[in-house]
């Protein structure tokens, strides 16, 4: 699957409506089809992102973990998976509680929380928490060079965004009634 879904294909009824409602200019029709397809792909990617973040949020809620506990749990992870190219500082992580690296996030999600995300879901998670990271670096097994770091304040901002996204009901975009209900 190319990620476009059925609504993004050129043969779909929505795409035909976009192409037929316009001028007779073939370039305008082609441009309208490209815009429609790209918006369908973007919507599909947002749905996948929301689904992945919701899984992580639900796992954290089931363990009663808040933002600070999650940051501490991630930052205490080793900065490398075991292997020949790992150095002792990356495996022992002498800089606990100061920052988080992508490998620490991956290890925490996989090993500590037990979420077996697919490669695509893990890429979504890394893109969410490390937006400036190159896609080619998503699969790396150690963070010895420490070029991608996030601190507590940035993590808290992204964590709160994840909680907000996970609290939205996907059907109508409104917050879940469970989240907004107070028990007295």
């Amino acid at each position: 699957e190319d990620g476009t879904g059925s609504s993004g294909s050129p043969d779909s009824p929505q795409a035909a409506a976009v192409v037929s409602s316009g001028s007779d200019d073939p370039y305008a029709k082609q441009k309208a089809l490209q815009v429609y397809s790209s918006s369908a792909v973007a919507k599909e990617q947002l749905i996948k992102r929301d689904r992945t973040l919701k899984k992580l949020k639900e796992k954290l809620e089931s363990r009663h973990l808040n933002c600070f506990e999650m940051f501490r749990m991630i930052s205490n992870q080793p900065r490398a998976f075991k292997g020949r190219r790992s150095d002792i500082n990356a495996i022992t992580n002498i800089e606990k509680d100061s920052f988080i690296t992508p490998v620490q996030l991956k290890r925490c999600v996989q090993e500590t929380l037990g979420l077996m995300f697919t490669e695509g879901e893990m890429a979504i998670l890394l893109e969410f928490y490390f937006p400036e990271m190159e896609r080619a670096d998503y699969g790396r097994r150690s963070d010895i060079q420490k070029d991608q770091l996030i601190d507590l304040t940035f993590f808290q901002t992204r964590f709160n965004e994840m909680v907000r996204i996970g609290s939205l009901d996907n059907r109508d975009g409104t917050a879940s009634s469970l989240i907004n209900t107070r028990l007295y």
Side-chain angles (χ1 to χ4, degrees), residues 1-127:
E1 183 179 8
D2 62 356
T4 60
S6 62
S7 63
S9 70
D11 300 329
S12 71
Q14 295 91 347
V18 168
V19 171
S20 66
S21 66
S23 68
D24 292 329
D25 183 15
Y27 297 110
K29 289 181 181 182
Q30 183 179 8
K31 183 66 176 167
L33 184 59
Q34 287 174 347
V35 168
Y36 177 77
S37 295
S38 65
S39 67
V41 170
K43 185 176 182 179
E44 181 73 23
Q45 289 173 344
L46 281 175
I47 290 170
K48 287 180 182 178
R49 182 197 73 172
D50 292 355
R51 195 175 316 136
T52 301
L53 294 176
K54 190 171 185 176
K55 278 186 203 176
L56 179 58
K57 176 191 167 286
E58 288 171 352
K59 187 67 162 184
L60 296 174
E61 284 182 345
S62 71
R63 290 187 171 213
H64 304 287
L65 294 173
N66 63 29
C67 176
F68 302 107
E69 293 165 333
M70 180 68 179
F71 183 86
R72 182 156 211 186
M73 186 169 55
I74 295 171
S75 68
N76 282 306
Q77 293 288 323
R79 291 191 327 265
F81 289 98
K82 292 180 182 173
R84 292 182 304 188
R85 304 188 102 184
S86 303
D87 71 347
I88 192 69
N89 289 330
I91 297 217
T92 57
N93 187 16
I94 56 175
E95 300 163 327
K96 294 180 171 127
D97 295 332
S98 55
F99 58 82
I100 292 175
T101 66
V103 170
Q104 287 177 310
L105 179 64
K106 286 179 4 183
R107 287 192 70 153
C108 183
V109 167
Q110 292 172 349
E111 297 172 5
T112 307
L113 295 176
L115 286 170
M116 293 300 144
F117 281 149
T118 64
E119 206 172 291
E121 290 172 325
M122 190 58 74
I124 289 170
L125 193 62
L126 289 172
E127 183 179 12

